[in-house]
Amino acid sequence: MKKIIILVSSTGAGHKIAGISIKELIEDIKGEEVPLIDALKLSKFPYSISDKIYYFLSNLPSLWKFFYYLSNDEKYEKFLKIQNFFLQDTLKKIVENTKPDIIFCTHPFFVPVLNELKSIKKFQIISVITDFGEIHKAWLINNYDLLWIPSEFTKKEIEKKTGLKGNYEVLGYPVRRGFRNITELKKDYILIMGGGRGAGPILEIFKILKNFKIKEIYICGTNEKLKNKLLKVKEEKKLDHIEIIGYTDRIYELMKDAFIIISKPGGSTVAESNYLLKPLIAINPLPGQEQGNANFIKETDSGLVLDKLNYLSNYIEEIIKEKKKFEFKEKIRDYSEKQIKFIKDFIL
């Protein structure tokens, strides 16, 4: 049996969720535990605080856009030596301690260093892209053994912009076990999510939708300040049709019974909404990968993308009354069998 490890990062939920999803899929097939390691957190400063840097920049869209596109060209390859210096000791230690046969990477920074470490132990690198569009150049440095592409839309975009090099498979976006095990879907409420940290204009959305007659559920994540503010208004206005919750690890149970999901368009949110065939209203996508995810939503007709909230209530009414329907031209659930076959053929 091949030894497998999965390297993730906490810079945005998608990298970690994709890693967890692959871990669960392999464990369901393989029947034994697969280590999941947040290698950036174990690396030298400042990479050890990459998650904090990410969340700081993501709250400043103009600054995020500057750094994202500054690094998304030939300059990135020049930067690799510096990046590798900060990551190599940690990754070398991981390889020496675990002696893997296959390493899944859900963050692209690991791949160039791992390629240099194959002299220690021969292993294969599977690089798993965790967004649908505006794919950063870091993913396409050809040091992987196989590139896991999340959709045909993604493949076409890469081919159009840079061309595809090396081995690759279009395997769909991996989703967590909770989503894969769902058998029944309902349409009971509007679900408004802010990710693990309660990000995005949730308060503004609350003000717009609070008088809707349909049930609404707001997920505030770890943002206690936001949660308490919404709870206060709910109690003062006696808004019994509104439910407000904090962090939850059972997001699939909430998503499966929603009419509509409103959220920032992170890769995992886009994939999981699509998997359940729930229309996603994507709010204020960040430049770069979130804008790429928004493009996937538009091109596949799996939801709406709004930069402003002016017409949000009108769109929701149209969806609930089924005046507005969605085709879901590419369905993530259609890749489920292909993922299982790939895991069985490649790993067992």
PDB file of all heavy atoms in Angstrom, residues 312-325:
ATOM      1  N   LEU A 312     -30.330  42.983  -5.006  1.00  0.00           N
ATOM      2  CA  LEU A 312     -30.280  41.664  -4.365  1.00  0.00           C
ATOM      3  C   LEU A 312     -31.673  41.122  -4.063  1.00  0.00           C
ATOM      4  O   LEU A 312     -31.994  39.971  -4.399  1.00  0.00           O
ATOM      5  CB  LEU A 312     -29.455  41.753  -3.073  1.00  0.00           C
ATOM      6  CG  LEU A 312     -29.362  40.464  -2.246  1.00  0.00           C
ATOM      7  CD1 LEU A 312     -28.696  39.357  -3.048  1.00  0.00           C
ATOM      8  CD2 LEU A 312     -28.609  40.712  -0.949  1.00  0.00           C
ATOM      9  N   SER A 313     -32.526  41.932  -3.454  1.00  0.00           N
ATOM     10  CA  SER A 313     -33.864  41.451  -3.075  1.00  0.00           C
ATOM     11  C   SER A 313     -34.691  41.078  -4.298  1.00  0.00           C
ATOM     12  O   SER A 313     -35.444  40.089  -4.282  1.00  0.00           O
ATOM     13  CB  SER A 313     -34.595  42.500  -2.234  1.00  0.00           C
ATOM     14  OG  SER A 313     -34.685  43.727  -2.929  1.00  0.00           O
ATOM     15  N   ASN A 314     -34.550  41.830  -5.393  1.00  0.00           N
ATOM     16  CA  ASN A 314     -35.288  41.516  -6.631  1.00  0.00           C
ATOM     17  C   ASN A 314     -34.861  40.167  -7.198  1.00  0.00           C
ATOM     18  O   ASN A 314     -35.696  39.353  -7.619  1.00  0.00           O
ATOM     19  CB  ASN A 314     -35.058  42.605  -7.678  1.00  0.00           C
ATOM     20  CG  ASN A 314     -35.682  43.937  -7.289  1.00  0.00           C
ATOM     21  OD1 ASN A 314     -36.578  43.976  -6.454  1.00  0.00           O
ATOM     22  ND2 ASN A 314     -35.218  45.019  -7.881  1.00  0.00           N
ATOM     23  N   TYR A 315     -33.539  39.937  -7.220  1.00  0.00           N
ATOM     24  CA  TYR A 315     -33.027  38.664  -7.743  1.00  0.00           C
ATOM     25  C   TYR A 315     -33.523  37.488  -6.902  1.00  0.00           C
ATOM     26  O   TYR A 315     -33.896  36.439  -7.441  1.00  0.00           O
ATOM     27  CB  TYR A 315     -31.499  38.674  -7.767  1.00  0.00           C
ATOM     28  CG  TYR A 315     -30.905  39.538  -8.859  1.00  0.00           C
ATOM     29  CD1 TYR A 315     -29.889  40.459  -8.575  1.00  0.00           C
ATOM     30  CD2 TYR A 315     -31.332  39.426 -10.175  1.00  0.00           C
ATOM     31  CE1 TYR A 315     -29.332  41.255  -9.571  1.00  0.00           C
ATOM     32  CE2 TYR A 315     -30.789  40.214 -11.176  1.00  0.00           C
ATOM     33  CZ  TYR A 315     -29.786  41.126 -10.868  1.00  0.00           C
ATOM     34  OH  TYR A 315     -29.239  41.909 -11.859  1.00  0.00           O
ATOM     35  N   ILE A 316     -33.521  37.661  -5.591  1.00  0.00           N
ATOM     36  CA  ILE A 316     -33.948  36.571  -4.709  1.00  0.00           C
ATOM     37  C   ILE A 316     -35.423  36.243  -4.941  1.00  0.00           C
ATOM     38  O   ILE A 316     -35.805  35.069  -5.010  1.00  0.00           O
ATOM     39  CB  ILE A 316     -33.675  36.936  -3.236  1.00  0.00           C
ATOM     40  CG1 ILE A 316     -32.166  36.874  -2.974  1.00  0.00           C
ATOM     41  CG2 ILE A 316     -34.408  35.990  -2.289  1.00  0.00           C
ATOM     42  CD1 ILE A 316     -31.739  37.331  -1.618  1.00  0.00           C
ATOM     43  N   GLU A 317     -36.244  37.252  -5.079  1.00  0.00           N
ATOM     44  CA  GLU A 317     -37.667  37.024  -5.360  1.00  0.00           C
ATOM     45  C   GLU A 317     -37.851  36.244  -6.661  1.00  0.00           C
ATOM     46  O   GLU A 317     -38.667  35.324  -6.741  1.00  0.00           O
ATOM     47  CB  GLU A 317     -38.410  38.354  -5.427  1.00  0.00           C
ATOM     48  CG  GLU A 317     -38.772  38.915  -4.066  1.00  0.00           C
ATOM     49  CD  GLU A 317     -39.793  40.052  -4.170  1.00  0.00           C
ATOM     50  OE1 GLU A 317     -40.595  40.051  -5.116  1.00  0.00           O
ATOM     51  OE2 GLU A 317     -39.772  40.927  -3.296  1.00  0.00           O
ATOM     52  N   GLU A 318     -37.085  36.611  -7.683  1.00  0.00           N
ATOM     53  CA  GLU A 318     -37.188  35.923  -8.978  1.00  0.00           C
ATOM     54  C   GLU A 318     -36.794  34.458  -8.858  1.00  0.00           C
ATOM     55  O   GLU A 318     -37.406  33.584  -9.471  1.00  0.00           O
ATOM     56  CB  GLU A 318     -36.288  36.626 -10.012  1.00  0.00           C
ATOM     57  CG  GLU A 318     -36.839  37.974 -10.471  1.00  0.00           C
ATOM     58  CD  GLU A 318     -35.946  38.623 -11.522  1.00  0.00           C
ATOM     59  OE1 GLU A 318     -34.931  38.005 -11.893  1.00  0.00           O
ATOM     60  OE2 GLU A 318     -36.269  39.741 -11.960  1.00  0.00           O
ATOM     61  N   ILE A 319     -35.747  34.180  -8.055  1.00  0.00           N
ATOM     62  CA  ILE A 319     -35.291  32.798  -7.890  1.00  0.00           C
ATOM     63  C   ILE A 319     -36.317  31.982  -7.117  1.00  0.00           C
ATOM     64  O   ILE A 319     -36.658  30.856  -7.496  1.00  0.00           O
ATOM     65  CB  ILE A 319     -33.917  32.765  -7.191  1.00  0.00           C
ATOM     66  CG1 ILE A 319     -32.859  33.416  -8.084  1.00  0.00           C
ATOM     67  CG2 ILE A 319     -33.513  31.324  -6.868  1.00  0.00           C
ATOM     68  CD1 ILE A 319     -31.531  33.693  -7.388  1.00  0.00           C
ATOM     69  N   ILE A 320     -36.836  32.545  -6.032  1.00  0.00           N
ATOM     70  CA  ILE A 320     -37.810  31.824  -5.200  1.00  0.00           C
ATOM     71  C   ILE A 320     -39.095  31.543  -5.990  1.00  0.00           C
ATOM     72  O   ILE A 320     -39.672  30.452  -5.889  1.00  0.00           O
ATOM     73  CB  ILE A 320     -38.117  32.627  -3.919  1.00  0.00           C
ATOM     74  CG1 ILE A 320     -36.890  32.621  -2.998  1.00  0.00           C
ATOM     75  CG2 ILE A 320     -39.326  32.055  -3.186  1.00  0.00           C
ATOM     76  CD1 ILE A 320     -37.001  33.540  -1.804  1.00  0.00           C
ATOM     77  N   LYS A 321     -39.515  32.497  -6.796  1.00  0.00           N
ATOM     78  CA  LYS A 321     -40.732  32.320  -7.606  1.00  0.00           C
ATOM     79  C   LYS A 321     -40.460  31.553  -8.902  1.00  0.00           C
ATOM     80  O   LYS A 321     -41.351  31.369  -9.725  1.00  0.00           O
ATOM     81  CB  LYS A 321     -41.336  33.690  -7.935  1.00  0.00           C
ATOM     82  CG  LYS A 321     -41.891  34.406  -6.710  1.00  0.00           C
ATOM     83  CD  LYS A 321     -42.391  35.804  -7.072  1.00  0.00           C
ATOM     84  CE  LYS A 321     -42.938  36.525  -5.839  1.00  0.00           C
ATOM     85  NZ  LYS A 321     -43.347  37.921  -6.167  1.00  0.00           N
ATOM     86  N   GLU A 322     -39.201  31.136  -9.080  1.00  0.00           N
ATOM     87  CA  GLU A 322     -38.759  30.352 -10.238  1.00  0.00           C
ATOM     88  C   GLU A 322     -38.917  31.093 -11.555  1.00  0.00           C
ATOM     89  O   GLU A 322     -39.068  30.483 -12.618  1.00  0.00           O
ATOM     90  CB  GLU A 322     -39.478  28.999 -10.280  1.00  0.00           C
ATOM     91  CG  GLU A 322     -39.156  28.128  -9.073  1.00  0.00           C
ATOM     92  CD  GLU A 322     -39.640  26.704  -9.232  1.00  0.00           C
ATOM     93  OE1 GLU A 322     -40.612  26.486  -9.993  1.00  0.00           O
ATOM     94  OE2 GLU A 322     -39.039  25.815  -8.624  1.00  0.00           O
ATOM     95  N   LYS A 323     -38.891  32.430 -11.475  1.00  0.00           N
ATOM     96  CA  LYS A 323     -38.822  33.223 -12.699  1.00  0.00           C
ATOM     97  C   LYS A 323     -37.402  33.220 -13.250  1.00  0.00           C
ATOM     98  O   LYS A 323     -37.195  33.429 -14.447  1.00  0.00           O
ATOM     99  CB  LYS A 323     -39.271  34.663 -12.416  1.00  0.00           C
ATOM    100  CG  LYS A 323     -40.749  34.802 -12.082  1.00  0.00           C
ATOM    101  CD  LYS A 323     -41.114  36.248 -11.811  1.00  0.00           C
ATOM    102  CE  LYS A 323     -42.590  36.392 -11.449  1.00  0.00           C
ATOM    103  NZ  LYS A 323     -42.935  37.805 -11.141  1.00  0.00           N
ATOM    104  N   LYS A 324     -36.439  32.999 -12.354  1.00  0.00           N
ATOM    105  CA  LYS A 324     -35.035  32.904 -12.737  1.00  0.00           C
ATOM    106  C   LYS A 324     -34.551  31.499 -12.405  1.00  0.00           C
ATOM    107  O   LYS A 324     -34.604  31.056 -11.257  1.00  0.00           O
ATOM    108  CB  LYS A 324     -34.203  33.952 -11.974  1.00  0.00           C
ATOM    109  CG  LYS A 324     -32.699  33.841 -12.162  1.00  0.00           C
ATOM    110  CD  LYS A 324     -32.281  34.164 -13.568  1.00  0.00           C
ATOM    111  CE  LYS A 324     -30.764  34.096 -13.720  1.00  0.00           C
ATOM    112  NZ  LYS A 324     -30.339  34.163 -15.122  1.00  0.00           N
ATOM    113  N   LYS A 325     -34.116  30.767 -13.441  1.00  0.00           N
ATOM    114  CA  LYS A 325     -33.614  29.403 -13.252  1.00  0.00           C
ATOM    115  C   LYS A 325     -32.171  29.317 -13.752  1.00  0.00           C
ATOM    116  O   LYS A 325     -31.719  30.168 -14.510  1.00  0.00           O
ATOM    117  CB  LYS A 325     -34.506  28.406 -13.987  1.00  0.00           C
ATOM    118  CG  LYS A 325     -35.937  28.376 -13.451  1.00  0.00           C
ATOM    119  CD  LYS A 325     -36.768  27.326 -14.174  1.00  0.00           C
ATOM    120  CE  LYS A 325     -38.194  27.309 -13.641  1.00  0.00           C
ATOM    121  NZ  LYS A 325     -39.029  26.286 -14.307  1.00  0.00           N
TER     122      LYS A 325
END
